Amino acid sequence: MLNGLQDKMSGKLEFLSEDDCEKIHYASLEVLSEVGLKIEPGYALDALEEMGCDVNKRTSIVKFPNYLVEECLRACPHSVKLYGLDSKYDIKMEKKRTYVSTGTGYGVIDEKENLARAGNLNDVREATLIAHHLDNIHSISPPLVGVSDSPANIATETILAETLKNTNKTIEFYLTGTSDSKPEVDDLISLCELVAGGAAELKKRPFAMLALNPVSPLIYPEEQISSIFKCVDAGIPVAIMPGAVGGATAPITISGILTQSNAEFLGGVVLANIVKKGAPVVYAHYNSIMNMQTGNYSAGSVEMGLIGSCVGQLGNWYGIPTNGFFPMSDSHIPDQQVGYEKMMQWVLSTLGGMNYLNGAGSVENGTLISLEQLVIDNEVVGMVDRMLKGVQVDDERIGIDTISKVGPGGNYFKQAHTLQWSRDECFIPKISEKESFSNWEGENVITKAKATVDEMLRNVETPVDKDIIKDIEQFQKELL
């Protein structure tokens, strides 16, 4: 199993006190009991009414009694495990452990042509292969939500299939809503069952989880509810991911965003428990604020990191694993702005205790993918991992004997203590510039990342068994 980012500093950053978490919880219960959620499909309304909810079938507004929400919360598992197609890639989302996944986009930054363009299935293949072979990327989300060389109505299924042909790591997938025939979730579950070796094997060892979004403010569309029901029934964990935008689809204040999105999440917990009591759910989010100057969704804002840290705290308070569909940046290309915006969000979220973070490789509000940024983010995550280890204080590390041996004016370079602890104490970067100016050859982190991408694409191969690839390719053909 992958350890992920796990050490003494995880969850140490607390923007919310215990009283704050309690206030947000009870305010969320008040929203659910007094305002309610709009629940679109009739079968869900019937089921919620049977569970004791106040259901208005004319308006589709459902008001949830406090006791029901609390009962479903108590049933939630405290950890959620995903099983890699190779067991060494298993992950366990739980308190004081963070895993990193790739971001997604609608297009790619093509460094060869120096432009942004529509993505294709080869881009999916390349991004997945690179992510698979990067040590600090623990799980993978399909890198694109649409491609130019696949019909839109089967794009989600085709992209997930291409992803699964190129990695044995765990997967978080999503819906795009582009299918014009049967619900796309049916094909996605069928594909997962095919790769797992059957429905029973998928239930026993789920390797994927579904990320889905209620519509803020306070709406669960039919497709989202149907997908919750079907995935829970198939044994696939569900990441319930509100995406409220402060100032647009939620209050502008962070506590207001947290209260509304928490109510939306708690409603999803009840919906999942209709199918199975104690269904594996993950408390996810991609909430942010609206840029008040432009009216745009501000994905790279420091507030997104603050909210992520608070959601991590709330998840710890509930005892439920958490997931953030970020870090992201508002910058259009890999540059300094991407660096400081994403690093701020990495740090805030991991110190706040978030258990699973997407976003590696994404730029431009999460709409574009850059292979070079994916390599850079892998290095950034290595730095975050070192930060989470904190400072260990013990006799061996203090090294009084070595200090005495070296004495005034001495040098520690050749000491055994230095050799023993250098790798444990010091993060060793691969592409960051560390030479003196006089020895610098004019490269920067982008050109170094590009060279790494080129080398990897020349040398890496898919780890997936050839028979599984053949089955997936047959699945892709049958979609057409």
Side-chain angles (χ1 to χ4, degrees):
M1 185 178 83
L2 293 174
N3 288 325
L5 315 183
Q6 181 191 23
D7 232 301
K8 65 182 289 185
M9 297 305 295
S10 179
K12 291 290 188 180
L13 182 62
E14 296 184 351
F15 287 103
L16 304 175
S17 67
E18 288 282 318
D19 285 345
D20 292 336
C21 290
E22 192 172 74
K23 283 179 184 177
I24 290 169
H25 172 65
Y26 284 113
S28 302
L29 291 182
E30 185 175 346
V31 171
L32 288 172
S33 63
E34 300 297 328
V35 181
L37 301 178
K38 185 173 182 179
I39 305 291
E40 292 187 347
Y43 60 83
L45 295 176
D46 292 340
L48 290 167
E49 190 170 43
E50 287 183 17
M51 294 176 77
C53 294
D54 179 2
V55 176
N56 185 325
K57 292 188 177 179
R58 180 180 60 83
T59 62
S60 296
I61 299 297
V62 177
K63 296 180 180 178
F64 297 73
N66 291 358
Y67 74 85
L68 176 62
V69 179
E70 300 271 20
E71 179 184 318
C72 293
L73 273 173
R74 284 192 295 271
C76 288
H78 296 315
S79 65
V80 171
K81 189 168 184 179
L82 296 181
Y83 298 82
L85 297 172
D86 182 329
S87 61
K88 69 182 179 182
Y89 298 122
D90 293 356
I91 68 174
K92 188 177 184 182
M93 289 171 278
E94 61 183 353
K95 192 173 182 179
K96 293 190 177 295
R97 194 189 296 265
T98 301
Y99 294 97
V100 172
S101 176
T102 52
T104 63
Y106 294 90
V108 300
I109 298 287
D110 190 327
E111 286 290 336
K112 294 177 182 177
E113 302 295 332
N114 196 30
L115 51 77
R117 58 168 173 78
N120 55 50
L121 287 174
N122 187 57
D123 294 317
V124 175
R125 182 189 69 84
E126 290 185 346
T128 304
L129 274 175
I130 288 176
H132 179 86
H133 289 90
L134 291 173
D135 292 341
N136 296 322
I137 308 302
H138 311 110
S139 185
I140 294 176
S141 293
L144 292 167
V145 297
V147 288
S148 59
D149 51 351
S150 177
N153 65 319
I154 58 169
T156 307
E157 300 94 318
T158 304
I159 292 167
L160 178 59
E162 197 65 28
T163 303
L164 289 170
K165 284 159 59 177
N166 291 285
T167 187
N168 283 332
K169 291 182 178 179
T170 58
I171 298 288
E172 180 178 35
F173 67 93
Y174 40 79
L175 308 175
T176 64
T178 55
S179 177
D180 56 8
S181 54
K182 66 179 179 179
E184 60 186 346
V185 73
D186 293 348
D187 283 335
L188 298 174
I189 292 173
S190 294
L191 177 57
C192 289
E193 290 175 344
L194 173 70
V195 172
E201 285 300 310
L202 181 62
K203 284 187 176 182
K204 188 189 303 181
R205 294 177 56 84
F207 64 86
M209 67 176 170
L210 169 70
L212 59 84
N213 319 111
V215 177
S216 297
L218 305 171
I219 298 174
Y220 270 88
E222 195 281 334
E223 184 185 28
Q224 305 295 331
I225 293 175
S226 171
S227 298
I228 291 175
F229 285 12
K230 291 176 179 180
C231 283
V232 170
D233 187 58
I236 295 173
V238 177
I240 300 167
M241 186 177 289
V245 181
T249 61
I252 189 64
T253 56
I254 289 178
S255 57
I257 295 169
L258 289 170
T259 296
Q260 180 187 297
S261 64
N262 193 56
E264 293 168 351
F265 165 70
L266 294 177
V269 170
V270 176
L271 288 166
N273 273 263
I274 291 174
V275 183
K276 178 185 176 183
K277 187 163 186 179
V281 295
V282 177
Y283 187 169
H285 97 98
Y286 72 106
N287 307 302
S288 190
I289 60 167
M290 182 175 70
N291 184 301
M292 302 307 288
Q293 282 74 44
T294 65
N296 294 335
Y297 173 76
S298 188
S301 66
V302 64
E303 289 81 8
M304 191 165 200
L306 285 169
I307 296 166
S309 188
C310 290
V311 170
Q313 277 191 256
L314 285 167
N316 285 337
W317 193 75
Y318 285 131
I320 298 174
T322 51
N323 174 336
F325 212 70
F326 67 99
M328 290 191 279
S329 172
D330 296 314
S331 184
H332 310 297
I333 58 173
D335 62 4
Q336 291 94 332
Q337 183 177 334
V338 173
Y340 62 73
E341 287 183 341
K342 294 186 80 172
M343 176 59 94
M344 177 66 75
Q345 293 182 2
W346 289 119
V347 168
L348 289 172
S349 297
T350 54
L351 287 178
M354 187 69 68
N355 304 126
Y356 186 104
L357 286 166
N358 300 78
S362 70
V363 297
E364 229 269 329
N365 275 329
T367 62
L368 294 174
I369 289 295
S370 162
L371 300 186
E372 289 72 25
Q373 187 64 47
L374 182 56
V375 171
I376 294 168
D377 285 343
N378 180 70
E379 184 135 308
V380 172
V381 175
M383 297 170 68
V384 172
D385 187 25
R386 174 61 189 92
M387 174 197 70
L388 291 175
K389 287 182 171 64
V391 178
Q392 310 291 329
V393 180
D394 55 43
D395 290 345
E396 287 187 82
R397 287 176 174 82
I398 289 173
I400 287 292
D401 291 344
T402 303
I403 295 171
S404 300
K405 182 178 180 181
V406 171
N411 187 294
Y412 289 83
F413 187 73
K414 294 183 179 180
Q415 295 299 315
H417 185 273
T418 302
L419 180 63
Q420 177 185 354
W421 291 105
S422 60
R423 288 190 175 273
D424 284 345
E425 285 286 301
C426 307
F427 170 69
I428 301 175
K430 294 180 179 178
I431 61 171
S432 299
E433 180 57 51
K434 298 297 179 182
E435 283 287 354
S436 65
F437 189 85
S438 59
N439 291 331
W440 180 47
E441 297 180 355
E443 290 187 309
N444 58 39
V445 71
I446 302 294
T447 58
K448 289 183 177 182
K450 185 177 184 305
T452 301
V453 167
D454 291 343
E455 182 181 0
M456 291 181 73
L457 290 178
R458 284 194 301 268
N459 295 307
V460 300
E461 296 180 354
T462 177
V464 180
D465 185 271
K466 291 180 180 179
D467 289 337
I468 293 178
I469 291 176
K470 287 180 182 178
D471 289 342
I472 295 173
E473 288 176 342
Q474 182 60 36
F475 174 89
Q476 289 175 299
K477 290 177 182 177
E478 292 173 0
L479 288 173
L480 297 171

